[in-house]
Amino acid sequence: MTLETPKRRNRIAAGWAGFTLLITGLLTGCQSIPHRTEAEQDLSPPDWDIEIAAPERLQAEALALFIRGQLHDADGAYEEALASYQRVIERDPGADQAYFRAALNLFRLNRDDEALALLKSLVEQRPGEAQPLLWLSAGYRQNAQLKEATEVLAEALSVAPRNEAIYLQKVEALFQLDQSDRAVALLRQGIERSTAPLRLQRVLGELLMRTALLSEDREVRAQATTEAIELLEQVLEKQPNDRVLVLGLADLYLRTGQIQSALAHYESAAQLDPTDANVRERLAYLYERLERPEDAIRTLNELARLQPNNARVFYALAALHEEQDNRAQAIEQYRRAAQTGRPDPAPYLKLGVLQMEDAPEQAVADLQEGLELIPNHPRLLEMLGYVQFNREAYREAADAFDQAQQAWLELEPSRDAMTPNFHLYFALSHYFADEPEKAIPVMEDALLQNPQAIEAFAHFVFQDEREDRSHSAIEILETLLVDHADSIELWSTLGYLHSFHEDYEAALDAFDQAYTLIEAAGDDASDHASSRFYFWYAAAHERTEKYDRAEELFYRSLEMDPDNAEAYNYLAYMWAELGINLERAESYVQIALEARPESGAFIDTLGWIYYQQGRYDEAYTEIRRALDIIPDDPVILDHLGDIYYALDQLDQALVKWTRAYEQDPDIKDLATKLREHQPQPDPDPAVDTTPSDETDAVDEDED
């Protein structure tokens, strides 16, 4: 008898379940101990009803003992069961089921050697039969003797070469021996030889499916995919209701990019089990990918009925509605997602984005609700800041951004954790809240995170209607330059801001600093040496009457962007103002007009060139057209006044000059023209120079 040590007991306990599963299929339906005939060389056990009389060879006493052994098995009395089966064998040595059950109980009692010896004796008694060989191979595998198990299975295949079950057992043993290539070859052999190879086809198909999904070799993947699909589809034809197989094929099609085939199989799986939520989810994904939003929404609605507490379903539904511009339904579904399941910031963030423009107060309320459920969540606080900024509640925005920053630093003390525009909008909130001193350190952080943030900052400043506040932006930049004197972005942006405020000397100084840094950096400054930069640099030179340098810089701008219509127009206008290069100026403005034929400024330039060329009628036509596009533009009004004067229509000239003066009294020479040609001695703005209604009427008629 084999001694049972603690270590051995553990091994047996761990391995017993596997062995029982292995042989359970071989015993299904076995209620007796009949003999195997030559025609029964497969693994299917004979059906036996205990009420049917046993074969003649089986004595009544042996049958009673066999049933008694089964009862002991059921009670876990393995010693008693073994004794019963041994007595059956003594009375009927041909009772092969008794051999097997006796061996089974010997294994249970850790008497492995005796079990194997008993099964070997059965093999000797049943030469040419597969079943005893299968039982012996199972015993070897239970005892971890895999090599011996495969040898016995090879003998079984020589006896029953068409038996599918033998192939399957040997394949399993070969895999346990890490001989996967031999196992695959054996499966192919079994498919060719077996009379019913469905299980072999399925096993091989699933093995190839795994290869198709895991192999790093593209050709191997492609070949394995093709063969796996072919095999598994053949099995599916004969087992169309096998849902596991349908899903396996659907997954394979999906992972290999065969979307239409994947969809068809998932639809089949959904029909086989309408309650499977995972299948519905994949169907919705595929419908969306195939641009079938209605089907995707329908499927997700079905899934929502199956899983009413699944927030992900409502979120996916909302996203689909959002893509379809169904804003109201998207908001409804995001709200359901927010109110379902565990608190999640994602739907609240979406509610903030979708309602920011049209319903900012509701967006604030939803975000605050989210913050009650998820206190101090940095993303929710940040979104609240953006919403407050958008509704021009700048102090509230700054407070939200400040709380968000504190929350981020507690979670992850790194600027990288924040979104790229976080500090920019934080600084802008302080700026618009008239807190420039608080904006400065935040802009420091914005520049560290993204050096281009200063240009975006300036973009907002350019649109600020309060000129006094926009001057504070210049102070912010000048303060930042104390520690960032080598920043091309800061110097160039300072130049843009000074140009915006028409302080061209200061703009020129800032642009000079930026240009020096650009030249020193060479190719490393290519992102900063833009056509836009040279355009504004040139404009600052023109406004400070440095015309030769302005011309050089305008050409530099055009070299970098040959389609820069503004540069063509500005250079043409500068020449027209100077009365030089008028033919070239005309050709340049025509290039600009090809790009923007309805630009009032470009049309005015063309008319002014005609004026400088003495072509007054053509000049009048173009300037009038420009004024129709940009009514009350002081420069165009001044030009039209000059044209009237050249056409000897002084009254009309005075009307236009006066209207131009009302719009911009600083236009060069305008006050002088009025003073020289007005009947009044002094064109002081306090003096009412507005033309009478009668004069206006004459002007409109003549125009």
Side-chain angles (χ1 to χ4, degrees):
M1 179 179 292
T2 307
L3 293 176
E4 180 182 330
T5 64
K7 182 177 180 181
R8 176 177 172 76
R9 180 182 295 277
N10 290 338
R11 180 180 69 81
I12 292 296
W16 187 251
F19 177 64
T20 304
L21 286 173
L22 180 68
I23 53 81
T24 297
L26 311 181
L27 290 175
T28 303
C30 294
Q31 299 292 335
S32 64
I33 46 174
H35 299 288
R36 307 285 290 178
T37 66
E38 192 169 323
E40 295 173 326
Q41 298 304 305
D42 59 35
L43 289 185
S44 302
D47 293 328
W48 186 265
D49 191 324
I50 199 166
E51 296 179 358
I52 298 177
E56 290 182 3
R57 287 190 55 201
L58 189 60
Q59 302 293 328
E61 183 182 356
L63 178 57
L65 289 168
F66 188 84
I67 293 172
R68 186 181 300 168
Q70 289 180 308
L71 293 173
H72 287 310
D73 276 335
D75 292 337
Y78 303 130
E79 290 279 8
E80 292 79 355
L82 174 61
S84 294
Y85 294 133
Q86 287 174 329
R87 291 174 66 188
V88 172
I89 293 169
E90 290 172 1
R91 285 161 176 72
D92 185 359
D96 51 358
Q97 294 273 354
Y99 279 88
F100 171 75
R101 289 192 177 272
L104 180 60
N105 280 287
L106 285 168
F107 279 119
R108 285 170 172 166
L109 295 167
N110 297 331
R111 294 159 62 179
D112 298 4
D113 292 342
E114 294 177 63
L116 290 171
L118 184 61
L119 291 172
K120 288 177 184 178
S121 69
L122 179 60
V123 169
E124 292 172 358
Q125 292 181 42
R126 299 289 188 186
E129 291 189 16
Q131 184 67 78
L133 290 166
L134 282 172
W135 285 335
L136 179 58
S137 72
Y140 277 131
R141 290 175 63 194
Q142 163 63 20
N143 210 36
Q145 295 176 256
L146 296 177
K147 181 180 178 182
E148 290 81 354
T150 56
E151 291 172 353
V152 171
L153 287 168
E155 185 180 348
L157 280 175
S158 68
V159 172
R162 298 178 182 277
N163 191 309
E164 185 184 46
I166 302 175
Y167 287 102
L168 289 171
Q169 286 204 33
K170 188 171 182 182
V171 164
E172 186 177 350
L174 289 171
F175 270 108
Q176 288 177 316
L177 287 168
D178 199 22
Q179 298 180 19
S180 56
D181 291 343
R182 285 186 61 195
V184 170
L186 183 63
L187 282 168
R188 297 186 191 282
Q189 180 184 352
I191 290 170
E192 292 178 2
R193 294 183 178 180
S194 177
T195 54
L198 277 182
R199 285 192 294 170
L200 295 175
Q201 288 175 316
R202 181 164 186 162
V203 171
L204 180 57
E206 290 173 350
L207 288 172
L208 291 168
M209 188 191 323
R210 183 181 302 175
T211 301
L213 298 175
L214 299 180
S215 176
E216 296 181 359
D217 189 308
R218 185 174 180 179
E219 292 184 5
V220 170
R221 284 202 312 270
Q223 182 178 350
T225 299
T226 301
E227 190 175 358
I229 288 173
E230 181 181 349
L231 286 166
L232 294 176
E233 288 287 9
Q234 289 174 8
V235 177
L236 189 59
E237 284 181 14
K238 297 183 179 179
Q239 299 176 346
N241 295 327
D242 189 328
R243 192 168 167 280
V244 173
L245 183 56
V246 173
L247 282 174
L249 272 165
D251 289 343
L252 180 58
Y253 282 125
L254 179 60
R255 295 191 185 189
T256 54
Q258 301 179 64
I259 305 302
Q260 292 289 355
S261 296
L263 177 63
H265 283 73
Y266 282 126
E267 288 176 334
S268 297
Q271 291 176 356
L272 291 170
D273 183 3
T275 65
D276 191 324
N278 290 328
V279 171
R280 297 281 174 189
E281 194 168 340
R282 291 179 187 176
L283 277 173
Y285 162 75
L286 288 174
Y287 286 136
E288 182 183 4
R289 186 167 172 181
L290 292 169
E291 298 182 358
R292 293 169 56 179
E294 295 82 3
D295 290 325
I297 290 172
R298 172 183 53 77
T299 302
L300 285 172
N301 279 323
E302 293 169 353
L303 182 57
R305 286 191 289 273
L306 292 171
Q307 296 184 332
N309 296 319
N310 189 340
R312 288 192 307 117
V313 176
F314 297 117
Y315 192 93
L317 257 175
L320 279 170
H321 283 302
E322 185 180 356
E323 288 177 8
Q324 297 301 304
D325 293 326
N326 300 329
R327 183 174 168 277
Q329 294 191 47
I331 290 172
E332 178 187 350
Q333 296 300 332
Y334 280 130
R335 188 161 283 121
R336 290 184 69 183
Q339 296 168 355
T340 303
R342 300 173 61 184
D344 185 347
Y348 288 106
L349 291 170
K350 281 290 188 178
L351 287 169
V353 171
L354 287 178
Q355 299 175 114
M356 183 183 295
E357 297 293 336
D358 299 333
E361 288 77 13
Q362 184 60 52
V364 170
D366 285 327
L367 288 166
Q368 288 174 340
E369 177 185 306
L371 285 164
E372 288 177 7
L373 296 171
I374 319 170
N376 296 319
H377 192 282
R379 291 277 184 233
L380 291 176
L381 288 165
E382 181 179 357
M383 179 55 67
L384 181 59
Y386 294 133
V387 174
Q388 298 285 29
F389 182 90
N390 194 63
R391 61 191 290 264
E392 299 183 8
Y394 298 118
R395 281 194 172 82
E396 291 85 347
D399 288 343
F401 285 128
D402 185 52
Q403 292 177 56
Q405 180 169 258
Q406 296 305 316
W408 274 124
L409 294 175
E410 289 177 10
L411 289 173
E412 185 176 352
S414 168
R415 293 186 183 88
D416 296 336
M418 303 169 193
T419 55
N421 290 324
F422 175 85
H423 290 102
L424 169 63
Y425 279 90
F426 191 3
L428 283 166
S429 298
H430 282 309
Y431 165 78
F432 284 110
D434 295 315
E435 299 170 340
E437 70 286 350
K438 292 183 179 179
I440 292 170
V442 180
M443 275 307 300
E444 289 269 9
D445 289 332
L447 290 173
L448 289 173
Q449 195 171 22
N450 178 13
Q452 280 73 45
I454 195 63
E455 294 187 18
F457 179 83
H459 172 77
F460 280 94
V461 173
F462 292 151
Q463 299 182 44
D464 189 2
E465 295 179 356
R466 275 182 47 191
E467 186 174 342
D468 63 319
R469 184 165 56 196
S470 65
H471 278 289
S472 71
I474 293 175
E475 297 173 10
I476 291 172
L477 264 63
E478 288 175 341
T479 303
L480 291 171
L481 278 165
V482 172
D483 294 325
H484 300 276
D486 58 348
S487 171
I488 298 172
E489 293 90 351
L490 282 174
W491 283 115
S492 58
T493 303
L494 184 60
Y496 299 143
L497 283 174
H498 280 306
S499 296
F500 178 68
H501 289 290
E502 299 183 2
D503 186 352
Y504 296 107
E505 290 290 353
L508 191 57
D509 289 341
F511 284 133
D512 282 340
Q513 292 286 349
Y515 180 75
T516 300
L517 292 169
I518 288 171
E519 291 292 296
D523 293 340
D524 293 337
S526 58
D527 291 342
H528 309 294
S530 64
S531 176
R532 174 172 175 262
F533 170 79
Y534 286 111
F535 174 87
W536 286 104
Y537 195 14
H541 278 87
E542 184 272 336
R543 290 304 182 102
T544 53
E545 301 182 358
K546 299 176 176 65
Y547 301 115
D548 291 341
R549 180 60 174 155
E551 183 176 318
E552 292 175 11
L553 293 168
F554 277 128
Y555 277 127
R556 187 81 173 267
S557 176
L558 287 168
E559 285 176 11
M560 304 193 73
D561 180 8
D563 297 324
N564 189 337
E566 291 284 355
Y568 280 112
N569 175 70
Y570 203 132
L571 187 52
Y573 185 79
M574 183 182 77
W575 285 332
E577 283 281 274
L578 297 172
I580 63 174
N581 301 329
L582 294 179
E583 289 185 7
R584 198 187 322 168
E586 183 180 350
S587 68
Y588 275 22
V589 77
Q590 292 290 4
I591 293 172
L593 282 165
E594 285 178 10
R596 290 163 55 186
E598 299 302 318
S599 169
F602 295 179
I603 294 169
D604 173 68
T605 298
L606 179 61
W608 196 236
I609 292 169
Y610 288 154
Y611 171 83
Q612 296 287 45
Q613 291 173 328
R615 299 157 63 181
Y616 301 127
D617 290 336
E618 293 171 271
Y620 173 81
T621 299
E622 298 303 328
I623 297 296
R624 282 298 311 181
R625 191 158 68 95
L627 193 62
D628 289 340
I629 296 172
I630 316 176
D632 294 325
D633 182 271
V635 173
I636 298 176
L637 286 166
D638 179 43
H639 288 168
L640 188 55
D642 288 355
I643 293 169
Y644 277 129
Y645 183 77
L647 293 171
D648 293 325
Q649 299 182 36
L650 178 59
D651 289 344
Q652 296 297 328
L654 287 171
V655 171
K656 300 308 176 188
W657 286 337
T658 300
R659 287 173 61 188
Y661 188 85
E662 291 170 351
Q663 299 292 328
D664 185 359
D666 295 326
I667 292 178
K668 184 179 179 181
D669 297 331
L670 180 55
T672 301
K673 287 184 286 189
L674 282 170
R675 187 166 45 248
E676 290 177 354
H677 299 290
Q678 279 276 27
Q680 296 87 347
D682 183 10
D684 189 280
V687 178
D688 185 6
T689 59
T690 304
S692 66
D693 294 340
E694 184 177 338
T695 307
D696 274 341
V698 171
D699 177 43
E700 295 303 323
D701 289 341
E702 293 189 10
D703 287 353

